[in-house]
Amino acid sequence: NDSKKKNRKGYLNIDVLKLTKANLVRNKKRTLITLLSLSLSGTLIIAASAIMMSINPKQMVKYGLADEFSFDHKYIGYDFEKEKAEFLSNNPLNKDFINKIKNIDGVERIDEIRRVELTTPNIGGEYKKLEPELNNVEIDLAGYTDDMLKLAGSDLTSGEFNIEKIKSGEEVLISGSAEHWHGFKVGDTITLTTEENNKKVDKKVKVQGRTKYHLGGNIITSIDFITNPKYITSLSVSVDKNKEESIDKALTNISDEYKNISYSSLEKELESYEISFMAINMMGYSLISIIGIISLVNLINTMITSIISRKKEIGILQAIGMSDKQLLKMLKLEGVFYTISTLISSLVLGS
């Protein structure tokens, strides 16, 4: 009886937590490699999930289409400059085309975008990196109607919208493309160069804000400064919501008459984007699942390897009084350590 009591006392005094800590510290290399691989997997899972959850097809379509329907020039060949010149000499988005749309029952408003090509000596961004020797570079100036200016100014990443200063010609909005390729920022003064009567004319304007919309043009001003209708490159059509279906059919029939005009519908564009992103999401979440399974297998493999490599040590511990329950607790504590450490590091790195 005395012997049994001593045995019980012996294994009750074994500090499982200290044994777990000693094992992890003693095998630093294995512990660090396991934590690193699990943390990388966890970081990839969090980052991939965050990216996919942040994608909003509806918002992406919204930033590219001002209204329910739109028409744009369609380049169908390989000689871009030749086709562009043809559009300028014989623009299909002319007065007759606009009148056809206006005559459709339910059409409420048609907004034009007119674009001209200018040059600027202000070179920064990607252009500066790619071609540092450039003295000037071409840039699109787009003229928006008041309604489209208000729309572009309603969602700025930086700056404050003031339509009066834009209509006065003092200030302009820029697109994301102008920010990326030209390096323009809010508050910058840009020199825009055009030709009038075979003479170069410079105009300085201040960047008022950077819009999230990409409806056309790098630099955005009022349509009042581009008066010639031959420069119309896009039409945005606002309609009565109750008559969208019939208007869509009528606009489709009109667009079918022209090979060099592309027609877009907000609803169809959204549907197309959602199908594309559904496929991307399926691939993304499949990848996340595979990474998760690999991480789980890695953790299980680490625990099994730990038991096998410490078989003699565990045998000695059991010989001096460690019970199966205490052995299981020690292994669980190791698993908990890896799990908590992985979660913390993944959350820190992934966010």
Side-chain angles (χ1 to χ4, degrees):
N1 291 336
D2 289 341
S3 176
K4 286 182 181 178
K5 286 180 182 177
K6 284 178 184 177
N7 286 340
R8 287 195 194 95
K9 188 177 181 180
Y11 79 69
L12 285 170
N13 285 337
I14 292 173
D15 193 327
V16 179
L17 186 60
K18 281 186 178 179
L19 280 172
T20 305
K21 185 179 177 183
N23 177 54
L24 291 168
V25 172
R26 186 171 66 250
N27 299 285
K28 282 181 183 176
K29 188 176 179 181
R30 188 196 69 201
T31 303
L32 287 172
I33 290 171
T34 303
L35 279 176
L36 183 63
S37 62
L38 290 172
S39 298
L40 285 172
S41 299
T43 303
L44 281 171
I45 289 170
I46 291 171
S49 298
I51 290 168
M52 285 187 290
M53 287 175 70
S54 67
I55 295 172
N56 186 338
K58 190 172 183 179
Q59 195 173 56
M60 292 179 75
V61 173
K62 166 195 153 186
Y63 286 137
L65 291 172
D67 287 305
E68 291 86 356
F69 307 104
S70 69
F71 291 92
D72 299 275
H73 286 163
K74 182 179 178 182
Y75 291 87
I76 54 178
Y78 296 99
D79 193 338
F80 179 77
E81 292 301 324
K82 183 183 177 183
E83 286 188 73
K84 189 163 64 173
E86 287 173 359
F87 281 129
L88 286 174
S89 61
N90 186 23
N91 193 345
L93 299 176
N94 51 33
K95 188 176 179 182
D96 291 338
F97 185 86
I98 293 169
N99 285 333
K100 281 184 184 180
I101 299 170
K102 281 182 178 177
N103 291 331
I104 298 170
D105 182 37
V107 171
E108 295 177 344
R109 193 182 73 249
I110 300 173
D111 289 301
E112 301 172 11
I113 291 180
R114 298 176 186 174
R115 288 166 65 178
V116 293
E117 277 192 2
L118 309 178
T119 58
T120 178
N122 305 109
I123 304 166
E126 289 300 310
Y127 278 130
K128 189 70 174 177
K129 292 178 187 176
L130 294 169
E131 298 184 67
E133 302 85 10
L134 281 175
N135 295 319
N136 58 66
V137 66
E138 287 186 349
I139 191 164
D140 276 351
L141 176 70
Y144 286 13
T145 61
D146 287 2
D147 287 317
M148 293 193 78
L149 278 174
K150 288 172 185 175
L151 179 68
S154 67
D155 204 347
L156 302 178
T157 57
S158 54
E160 289 185 13
F161 180 64
N162 185 325
I163 193 169
E164 295 306 323
K165 286 186 177 180
I166 292 175
K167 286 176 73 65
S168 71
E170 299 172 36
E171 298 183 357
V172 293
L173 296 176
I174 60 169
S175 66
S177 176
E179 183 181 56
H180 176 76
W181 288 101
H182 299 271
F184 298 151
K185 300 186 296 295
V186 172
D188 286 354
T189 298
I190 305 169
T191 301
L192 299 175
T193 306
T194 185
E195 282 196 10
E196 291 179 10
N197 301 320
N198 296 320
K199 289 183 180 179
K200 287 188 176 181
V201 178
D202 290 340
K203 167 72 176 174
K204 292 185 183 293
V205 291
K206 184 180 177 183
V207 177
Q208 182 184 109
R210 193 278 214 191
T211 180
K212 289 184 180 180
Y213 284 86
H214 45 92
L215 305 171
N218 301 125
I219 307 292
I220 300 161
T221 186
S222 170
I223 201 169
D224 298 340
F225 298 108
I226 307 174
T227 54
N228 196 327
K230 77 174 185 177
Y231 293 114
I232 297 172
T233 56
S234 302
L235 295 174
S236 183
V237 185
S238 178
V239 303
D240 182 345
K241 301 285 184 187
N242 298 318
K243 298 177 180 178
E244 267 192 51
E245 192 174 338
S246 61
I247 294 169
D248 183 23
K249 288 179 181 177
L251 292 176
T252 301
N253 290 335
I254 291 173
S255 68
D256 287 343
E257 298 173 17
Y258 299 83
K259 290 182 179 179
N260 54 356
I261 292 178
S262 67
Y263 168 63
S264 302
S265 158
L266 183 64
E267 188 179 335
K268 288 174 185 174
E269 286 290 311
L270 180 58
E271 188 180 326
S272 174
Y273 268 70
E274 285 177 340
I275 290 168
S276 299
F277 282 112
M278 192 183 294
I280 293 169
N281 281 342
M282 284 176 69
M283 291 171 62
Y285 284 115
S286 296
L287 181 62
I288 288 170
S289 301
I290 292 167
I291 293 170
I293 291 166
I294 291 170
S295 302
L296 183 61
V297 170
N298 188 22
L299 179 59
I300 294 168
N301 183 56
T302 300
M303 300 305 296
I304 292 170
T305 306
S306 175
I307 294 167
I308 293 169
S309 63
R310 290 153 56 202
K311 198 172 181 180
K312 187 183 282 188
E313 179 191 326
I314 291 168
I316 294 168
L317 289 169
Q318 286 181 317
I320 62 172
M322 175 178 266
S323 67
D324 290 341
K325 188 176 180 182
Q326 285 175 315
L327 175 61
L328 185 62
K329 185 179 179 182
M330 184 178 74
L331 296 173
K332 280 181 178 177
L333 284 171
E334 287 184 24
V336 167
F337 167 77
Y338 284 124
T339 304
I340 291 172
S341 300
T342 300
L343 281 172
I344 292 169
S345 58
S346 297
L347 287 169
V348 170
L349 294 171
S351 58

